[in-house]
Amino acid sequence: MSMDTLAQRLTVHLGEKIAATQEWRGETIVDVLPENWLAIAQHLRDDAEFRFEQFIDLCGVDYLSYGQVEWDTSDVTSTGFSRGVEGEGPGRFDWQERPHPGIGNKRFGVIVQLTSIAHNRRVRLRCHAQDDALPVVPSLVSLWPGANWFERETFDLFGIVFEGHPDLRRILTDYGFVGHPFRKDFPLIGNVEVRFDEAQGRVIYEPVTSVVPRVLVPRVIRHDSRWEQAQAEAAGDVKK
């Protein structure tokens, strides 16, 4: 089959089994429906035309508040860097006024990176869980045993359940940990803090009181007027 790009070849070859394909900065991204997740992954691994035999990485994504900005980027004053924070971002809001997903009801996604050693190319698969309350995606452990710990990590941090996983349990957080710390609605300061009480001679878990929620690094790309001015000068649109 002679096609221009890998994305086009995947679209023609897989048809309605995939939701969309795109090429972005030389990277191929394939959106897969949950019901086809396992079958598509196996097809890309075993088909001689693609041969994506090597599993590289798997991670979760929480699209809660996707596309919403929590930093002032144009009308902020020069009275202090933190003055640009609007204070409405994930982890720093009242639950009744929490952000909502920016792409419909598909809040949680799973990303998989695959490599074809035979053809020297890469592909990224993405699958959105259909239920925000209980996100479920088929496990890839039967195809790539190395996905075991990656899926456990994603379950631990995002609460995404991998159906068919042989031993799905937490891998990073402590025993009895409540919640999933990489979810956007998880408080940035956490739910509890731990200290050793000398009088009681044991570890005490209590609500966080010693940490104040604060974001110092913007999560968005800000347009800097200095670079816009430089580009305009380079193009000859503005006199120096």
Side-chain angles (χ1 to χ4, degrees), residues 41 46 146:
D46 299 340

Side-chain angles (χ1 to χ4, degrees), residues 21 26 28 30 35 72-73 81 86 97 111 118 127 135 156-157 159 169 179 199 209 221 224:
T21 59
T28 303
V30 182
E35 57 268 26
D72 289 322
T73 59
F81 185 69
E86 297 177 357
E97 301 176 356
I111 310 293
C127 177
D156 191 359
L157 301 179
R169 53 194 170 94
T209 58
I221 299 175
D224 195 317

Side-chain angles (χ1 to χ4, degrees), residues 7 54 67 70-71 85-86 94 104 113 129 137 144 162 183 187 224 237:
Q54 186 172 30
E70 67 173 350
W71 286 76
V85 182
E86 297 177 357
D94 294 330
Q113 311 283 357
V137 173
W144 294 283
F162 290 89
R183 288 189 173 190
D224 195 317
D237 297 333

Side-chain angles (χ1 to χ4, degrees), residues 209-226:
T209 58
S210 60
V211 183
V212 177
R214 187 178 183 188
V215 177
L216 298 180
V217 180
R219 297 186 303 108
V220 298
I221 299 175
R222 298 201 290 179
H223 298 288
D224 195 317
S225 60
R226 294 174 299 172

Side-chain angles (χ1 to χ4, degrees), residues 110-124:
V110 174
I111 310 293
V112 171
Q113 311 283 357
L114 302 177
T115 296
S116 171
I117 299 175
H119 299 297
N120 189 27
R121 57 195 177 201
R122 299 172 183 267
V123 69
R124 178 182 304 147

Side-chain angles (χ1 to χ4, degrees), residues 15-101:
E16 296 180 356
K17 293 182 180 179
I18 57 178
T21 59
Q22 59 176 305
E23 294 276 352
W24 185 76
R25 294 187 176 181
E27 299 181 350
T28 303
I29 305 165
V30 182
D31 284 302
V32 183
L33 300 175
E35 57 268 26
N36 299 325
W37 181 244
L38 192 59
I40 291 296
Q42 183 171 359
H43 185 88
L44 293 180
R45 185 195 67 174
D46 299 340
D47 189 280
E49 184 177 350
F50 300 112
R51 293 283 300 279
F52 288 103
E53 66 270 32
Q54 186 172 30
F55 170 90
I56 299 296
D57 185 39
L58 181 148
C59 68
V61 180
D62 183 358
Y63 288 95
L64 183 70
S65 75
Y66 181 79
Q68 300 176 19
V69 179
E70 67 173 350
W71 286 76
D72 289 322
T73 59
S74 58
D75 58 352
V76 62
T77 66
S78 59
T79 56
F81 185 69
S82 62
R83 297 297 189 273
V85 182
E86 297 177 357
E88 297 178 354
R92 298 189 291 112
F93 51 79
D94 294 330
W95 181 249
Q96 298 299 327
E97 301 176 356
R98 66 188 184 279
H100 296 283

